[in-house]
């Protein structure tokens, strides 16, 4: 077994504290990675605080993991020692079901092993995440990261990146399309960058004029203030695609009405009940609402390669491991543009 | 002008009464039709009673109109005197916008002239519907009906038929697919017939065991009682496509959970707000909810030809024109299997 230092939540009501645990010895298909940076996703906070009612403790959060390969199993083909590599929201799946066969491991019909607060394929052994010094993962669930990119700023691509890239690709967003990204946070800022790189005309839809300005810096062509009823009405039925990154329950009808005939709004933020789904608004004209969760491993690699090609990374703020509890306080206030990344070199000895 | 006898609602609170009015003299592109049968759609009742807040009186309802061509304009190509012909929910549109150019006149970006309780393209002249002896309509908005079909039972195809046929075709329902039709009424019973004829495995999803049995008579392969939580759970994530014909606000989450990865539920009944749209249910696995309204004229003709080929008509009960108020009382109680059709030969002199 491999000794690993990390930070864990011991219960939903306590702060995260130093925590030493063990990873499995690498098998022949495994990649052993020294973690250099770990992104801080809003879902880390939700799970550490037990907000979703599914938390198991002790919990080492973190599913935006990047680092350097320190050893590979004998059957590993894609990686060699020294490569930059990343692990995202999943570390395993059944690999044999209809979803896995389509490279959609996140929709595994048997059991997706999420990176933390989940279990291995035995459905018993807890998984532990990226706020730690090392991880051992089967190569199917590890992606290669180009040396051309700023490594620390690639960490959020493993969750915020793929969560926005996958629906843009699945619904074939591209040139000639008018795309709106709703909400500018960790997900939204990646949505703007990807939609722009895919050739779409991108509108940031936000309640905040200052965020609108920042979205233009990130590549948005236009800004629509959702609080301006006249502006919203003027752009009614004009969007081909909307990427809705709002992370909480909200009234979606004002956004639905922005979609043109056969337009689609994809929800990637809010897991909870939504108001304002009005049958008539979906019928005249014909409109679609859908959901999407992260992306499969092949698509995650595709995204990482797309990022290298287009020089896309996340906008981040680097924090120390020991400051994680203060970081969570700031995250809860949305005081971040646009993702915190823990520098794992700051892990206490 | 052409003198026409009909029945009209004079206000939202009165019964329908005999009403004489005038249609335009046929122009060179017009078809003049002697109305032989007119279906009674639930939306007739809603609009006659002012339920949607958009009613203009006097109103002659009826948008499931079939009859015989009695004259054609000099430029008419598709029809000759004596043909069976039908008029559905629309009688005109701008014909030049992006939607009209795609043969999707129901989504006209300028102005769809609905058959009654609407206005002509001048946005001023009221339109009047099928509870009447004759109609004059531009040939683009008239469909041919095969002599092989029982004419009176084709009337509901013009609304209930195309409303269910169009989404089944748009979302490419066919062989090898598991399809659920939710609700067995005027729309649902056509949904079962069409989905079956298109080659799908069809499950009737209903609250009523007796309706379930009747759905089998109509062609359904299986029945799922939506009140049986165990049965609903057992079929979770198993349907490729759901046609939701429930005409009122309801909790859609139990149905969403029946959809498999990349499955779609299309709403064709409820125009009003819906509960139970849960972001997480749409994300894991990736699922879609959409709406659809009737169908374009080319597709309506395609449906009518499909019906002739597959010998599909509606299950109807023929009623007299003078009994329309009693018919509305029965309709409000859902006391119909599955559509009332007025025999226009019973129109009082």
């Amino acid at each position: 077994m491999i000794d690993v230092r990390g930070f864990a939540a011991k219960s939903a009501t306590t702060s995260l504290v130093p925590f030493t645990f063990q990873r499995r010895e690498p098998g022949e298909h495994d990649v052993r990675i020294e973690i250099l940076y770990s992104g801080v996703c809003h879902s880390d906070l939700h799970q550490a605080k037990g907000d979703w009612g599914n938390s198991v403790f002790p919990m080492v959060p973190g599913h935006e993991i990047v680092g350097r390969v320190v050893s590979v199993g004998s059957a590993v083909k894609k990686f060699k020692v020294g490569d930059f590599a990343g692990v995202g929201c999943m570390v395993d799946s059944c690999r044999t079901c209809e979803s896995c066969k389509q490279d959609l491991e996140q929709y595994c019909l048997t059991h997706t092993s999420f990176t933390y607060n989940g279990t291995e394929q035995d459905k018993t052994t807890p998984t532990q995440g990226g706020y730690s010094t090392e991880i051992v993962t089967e190569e199917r669930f590890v992606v290669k990261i180009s040396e051309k990119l700023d490594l620390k700023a690639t960490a959020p691509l493993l969750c915020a990146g793929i969560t926005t890239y996958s629906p843009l690709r699945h619904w074939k967003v591209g040139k000639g399309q008018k795309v709106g990204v709703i909400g500018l946070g960790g997900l939204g800022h990646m949505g703007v960058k990807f939609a722009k790189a895919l050739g779409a005309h991108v509108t940031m839809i936000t309640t905040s004029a200052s965020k609108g300005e920042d979205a233009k810096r990130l590549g948005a062509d236009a800004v629509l203030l959702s609080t301006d009823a006249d502006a919203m009405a003027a752009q009614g039925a004009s969007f081909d695609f909307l990427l809705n990154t709002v992370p909480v329950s909200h009234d979606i009808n004002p956004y639905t009405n922005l979609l043109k005939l056969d337009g689609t709004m994809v929800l990637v933020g809010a897991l909870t009940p939504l108001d304002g789904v009005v049958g008539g608004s979906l019928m005249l004209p014909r409109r679609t609402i859908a959901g999407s969760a992260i992306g499969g491993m092949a698509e995650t690699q595709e995204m990482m390669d797309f990022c290298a090609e287009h020089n896309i990374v996340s906008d981040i703020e680097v924090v120390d491991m020991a400051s994680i509890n203060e970081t969570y306080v700031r995250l809860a206030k949305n005081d971040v543009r646009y993702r915190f990344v823990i520098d794992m070199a700051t892990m206490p000895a």
Side-chain angles (χ1 to χ4, degrees), chain A:
Chain A
M1 303 291 273
I2 296 172
D3 290 320
V4 179
R5 286 171 294 137
F7 262 64
K10 295 288 183 72
S11 80
T13 53
T14 54
S15 296
L16 270 66
V17 293
F19 178 67
T20 300
F21 62 106
Q22 292 187 311
R23 305 276 193 191
R24 71 169 179 262
E25 203 64 46
E28 62 177 342
H29 295 282
D30 284 338
V31 179
R32 179 175 171 176
I33 301 165
E34 177 195 2
I35 301 175
L36 299 175
Y37 300 98
S38 185
V40 179
C41 176
H42 211 105
S43 62
D44 297 351
L45 179 60
H46 281 303
Q47 292 179 89
K49 298 295 178 196
D51 291 346
W52 296 342
N54 69 340
S55 296
V56 176
F57 300 97
M59 177 198 304
V60 178
H63 57 205
E64 298 179 340
I65 301 166
V66 297
R68 193 179 292 280
V69 174
V70 290
S71 75
V72 297
S74 58
V76 167
K77 290 176 182 151
K78 235 169 56 179
F79 296 90
K80 61 180 194 306
V81 171
D83 285 347
F84 283 153
V87 175
C89 299
M90 305 179 279
V91 290
D92 215 341
S93 69
C94 85
R95 312 180 196 189
T96 58
C97 72
E98 212 178 315
S99 296
C100 287
K101 281 191 283 188
Q102 290 179 68
D103 291 321
L104 294 166
E105 300 92 342
Q106 77 273 36
Y107 304 126
C108 176
L109 298 174
T110 306
H111 180 59
T112 301
S113 293
F114 290 106
T115 300
Y116 72 89
N117 196 32
T119 56
E120 299 286 357
Q121 288 297 293
D122 62 11
K123 299 188 183 177
T124 304
T125 310
T127 54
Q128 298 291 9
Y131 298 4
S132 59
T133 51
E134 288 195 70
I135 191 166
V136 175
T137 310
E138 209 275 354
E139 73 168 329
R140 176 171 176 155
F141 292 85
V142 183
V143 296
K144 288 193 78 158
I145 300 172
S146 168
E147 303 270 344
K148 289 198 294 185
L149 295 171
D150 177 8
L151 185 70
K152 60 184 178 295
T154 67
L157 299 174
L158 277 307
C159 173
I162 187 62
T163 297
T164 51
Y165 181 84
S166 180
L168 291 168
R169 294 287 289 159
H170 182 73
W171 277 275
K172 299 183 169 52
V173 165
K175 283 197 177 63
Q177 290 186 8
K178 182 174 172 180
V179 169
V181 176
I182 305 168
L184 186 61
L187 297 180
H189 96 289
M190 291 311 308
V192 168
K193 293 185 185 201
F194 285 135
K196 188 66 190 170
L198 289 165
H201 179 280
V202 180
T203 299
M204 168 48 54
I205 304 171
T206 173
T207 56
S208 155
S210 73
K211 283 209 169 178
E213 281 312 300
D214 209 37
K216 284 193 172 173
R217 182 184 60 80
L218 298 169
D221 299 289
V223 177
L224 173 57
L225 288 180
S226 55
T227 48
D228 181 342
D230 290 343
M232 291 287 279
Q235 300 210 32
S238 72
F239 284 85
D240 295 283
F241 187 86
L242 294 171
L243 185 70
N244 185 333
T245 74
V246 179
V248 294
S249 294
H250 61 288
D251 180 0
I252 67 172
N253 200 46
Y255 305 118
T256 308
N257 287 330
L258 294 175
L259 291 171
K260 66 194 291 194
L261 173 65
D262 292 327
T264 297
M265 171 161 57
V266 175
L267 307 167
V268 292
L271 291 164
T272 45
L274 296 156
D275 290 328
V277 177
V278 180
S281 297
L282 290 174
M283 291 176 198
L284 283 172
R286 184 169 59 199
R287 292 162 166 153
T288 293
I289 299 171
S292 179
I294 49 174
M297 293 315 304
E299 194 173 48
T300 306
Q301 185 64 63
E302 177 194 308
M303 173 211 62
M304 203 56 90
D305 297 343
F306 182 89
C307 287
E309 188 187 335
H310 295 269
N311 197 32
I312 291 174
V313 291
S314 295
D315 284 31
I316 62 164
E317 178 178 343
V318 177
V319 294
D320 287 354
M321 186 70 255
S323 74
I324 186 64
N325 297 299
E326 294 76 37
T327 298
Y328 274 9
V329 171
R330 288 185 57 196
L331 188 60
K333 293 188 291 192
N334 288 318
D335 176 22
V336 54
R337 289 194 174 180
Y338 285 97
R339 206 66 149 184
F340 290 117
V341 171
I342 304 163
D343 179 353
M344 217 48 70
T346 65
M347 176 72 74

